Amino acid sequence: MSNEIPIGLAKNGRRAWALDDVAIVPNRRTRSPADVSLDWRIDAYNFSMPVIGAPMDSVMSPATAIELGRQGGLGVLNLEGLWTRYEDPEPVLAEIAALGADEVSADNTRRLQQLYSEPIKAELITARLAEIREAGVVVSGSLTPQRTQEFYRTVIEAGVDMFVIRGTTVSAEHVAETGDPLNLKEFIYELDVPVIVGGAAGYTPALHLMRTGAAGVLVGFGGGAATTTRRAMGIRVPMATAISDIAAARRDYLDESGGRYVHVIADGGMGSSGDLVKALAMGADAVMLGTTLARAEEAPGQGWHWGLEAVHPDFPRGHRTRVGTVAPLQEVLWGPAHHTDGSSNLMGGLRHAMASTGYVDLKSFQRVDAIVSPMGQQTR
């Protein structure tokens, strides 16, 4: 049955759902939260929770990437950010935190663009990744597709364990009449490390990304609350539908490839533990968190949150967003919580949701029953 609805005489549109529009439903069985496993494995790497720290300067520094690794997740450092442009980025981060309080401000955006005009330095990429490696956690860094050709050899030679290519929209085939576009399939084939790529927001583009050999596909456009992609470019795909569509691509690619499993990673639009729960219930294997981790006391953004989209030199489409500070990173992730809004003890929220619906591991939890609530359409 088609779920397209008429927009006008010449155009139909497909009905799609945001995470706010859906909810999970308990079944006949419940379990003790102590029996639930949150373990997640991708390629050769094991994690005690399905959480990746978004490669955003307001979220991940070398220190927070290390701490997230010690807490059982994966921290991804933005290799085009302040930590690879400045020998000491702390004064720059303090200046950004001290900018005018208005979230939407041409003066603030202009200053952000100026600060990010400092060139990226290959030696700082090497030094930052070495710092993370010395701590004994999984080392991961991120580049946009535009910068990957320029710096990936530096990243690989630095000893990265997992490489992330993250952009607003990443495709397996980029067509350009000028320049030398990145051929993802050839690029991933030549690397000796697993690669996570995205964003993607639909079945077909995700399936093509899976065929490049990627270990994981990011669902979404990145940046979460800090982007204004919908207002600036008219692009938006609600996350619940996007995750479910790409989970279907994963299933079909598993058959097509004879058993190769590609991880689906929800990226963006998850501000609470309930959003995280619903993303996994829609079919995600893990989540990439920005806003929720930007609220940690250790977060470099000091209560503010922004992404690379906000500092684009020609077409900025995001802004510095006030998210506040909730608790130390350990409390944000593992509790005990002192907030009732799902902003802390994210893993406790997930564990209790899985226990309440009778599931003991993340993969089986993808089968949980879900409903669509019409009230959700009024909030997003």
Side-chain angles (χ1 to χ4, degrees), residues 2-3 17 47 54 75 106 130 184 187 192 203 209-210 212 248 280 285 307-308 345 352:
S2 173
N3 63 352
W17 307 102
F47 302 95
L184 273 177
F187 175 79
D192 292 328
Y203 174 95
L209 286 177
M210 292 173 186
T212 66
L280 295 168
D285 298 287
L308 277 178
N345 197 1
H352 278 77

Side-chain angles (χ1 to χ4, degrees), residues 7 36 52 78 99 121 137 202 210 228 249 260 269 320-321 332-333 340 375:
I7 297 172
V36 171
I52 303 175
N78 174 16
L99 289 174
K121 301 170 179 63
V137 300
M210 292 173 186
T228 53
R260 184 173 181 272
R320 188 192 59 141
T321 302
V332 169
L333 291 169
T340 58
M375 291 296 293

Side-chain angles (χ1 to χ4, degrees), residues 126-158:
T126 300
R128 304 310 185 197
L129 293 175
E131 181 181 348
I132 298 172
R133 176 166 294 283
E134 289 170 5
V137 300
V138 177
V139 183
S140 182
S142 174
L143 293 171
T144 60
Q146 295 81 3
R147 295 282 195 168
T148 295
Q149 294 278 38
E150 183 179 359
F151 291 112
Y152 85 90
R153 292 192 185 277
T154 300
V155 175
I156 298 303
E157 290 170 2

Side-chain angles (χ1 to χ4, degrees), residues 21-349:
D21 298 325
V22 300
I24 62 171
V25 181
N27 208 321
R28 63 181 179 84
R29 179 183 292 114
T30 58
R31 297 182 184 274
S32 167
D35 296 335
V36 171
S37 170
L38 303 183
D39 292 346
W40 174 56
R41 177 185 177 91
I42 179 170
D43 202 81
Y45 301 101
N46 296 298
F47 302 95
S48 58
M49 59 179 171
V51 171
I52 303 175
M56 305 169 76
D57 284 345
S58 54
V59 180
M60 287 287 109
S61 66
T64 52
I66 291 168
E67 181 59 24
L68 180 57
R70 289 172 174 165
Q71 294 293 331
L74 173 64
V76 182
L77 189 67
N78 174 16
L79 300 179
E80 300 175 38
L82 299 174
W83 291 91
T84 59
R85 297 174 188 263
Y86 295 90
E87 187 72 38
D88 180 10
E90 295 290 355
V92 181
L93 288 162
E95 180 180 346
I96 293 173
L99 289 174
D102 292 340
E103 292 187 355
V104 182
S105 163
D107 289 338
N108 286 353
T109 298
R110 189 175 295 110
R111 184 54 181 153
L112 283 169
Q113 290 170 315
Q114 292 170 348
L115 292 171
Y116 277 83
S117 67
E118 180 73 17
I120 300 167
K121 301 170 179 63
E123 63 272 19
L124 287 179
I125 291 178
T126 300
R128 304 310 185 197
L129 293 175
E131 181 181 348
I132 298 172
R133 176 166 294 283
E134 289 170 5
V137 300
V138 177
V139 183
S140 182
S142 174
L143 293 171
T144 60
Q146 295 81 3
R147 295 282 195 168
T148 295
Q149 294 278 38
E150 183 179 359
F151 291 112
Y152 85 90
R153 292 192 185 277
T154 300
V155 175
I156 298 303
E157 290 170 2
V160 72
D161 296 314
M162 197 171 303
F163 186 46
V164 177
I165 302 175
R166 184 178 188 252
T168 302
T169 302
V170 178
S171 63
E173 181 181 3
H174 178 71
V175 180
E177 294 184 2
T178 60
D180 185 20
L182 177 66
N183 185 315
L184 273 177
K185 189 169 186 177
E186 292 181 4
F187 175 79
I188 292 174
Y189 180 78
E190 293 175 357
L191 295 182
D192 292 328
V193 300
V195 179
I196 296 172
V197 298
Y203 174 95
T204 299
L207 184 60
H208 283 288
L209 286 177
M210 292 173 186
R211 289 169 177 164
T212 66
V217 172
L218 297 171
V219 183
F221 298 116
T227 63
T228 53
T229 302
R230 182 183 186 185
R231 290 193 293 272
M233 297 173 63
I235 295 175
R236 176 181 180 251
V237 178
M239 280 294 286
T241 295
I243 295 168
S244 180
D245 286 351
I246 295 177
R250 176 188 60 205
R251 175 200 62 208
D252 293 346
Y253 179 70
L254 186 69
D255 291 338
E256 172 189 305
S257 63
R260 184 173 181 272
Y261 190 90
V262 179
H263 291 258
V264 173
I265 301 164
D267 179 13
M270 291 167 287
S272 67
S273 56
D275 293 332
L276 183 157
V277 167
K278 290 184 283 186
L280 295 168
M282 294 302 105
D285 298 287
V287 295
M288 178 172 276
L289 300 180
T291 301
T292 47
L293 300 186
R295 298 189 186 115
E297 291 179 2
E298 300 92 332
Q302 302 175 39
W304 292 91
H305 186 41
W306 66 94
L308 277 178
E309 298 88 350
V311 301
H312 193 283
D314 301 316
F315 188 48
R317 51 196 181 274
H319 50 264
R320 188 192 59 141
T321 302
R322 181 67 181 172
V323 296
T325 300
V326 171
L329 182 61
Q330 179 173 344
E331 185 176 322
V332 169
L333 291 169
W334 295 106
H338 304 290
H339 305 83
T340 58
D341 58 359
S343 62
S344 60
N345 197 1
L346 304 178
M347 295 304 100

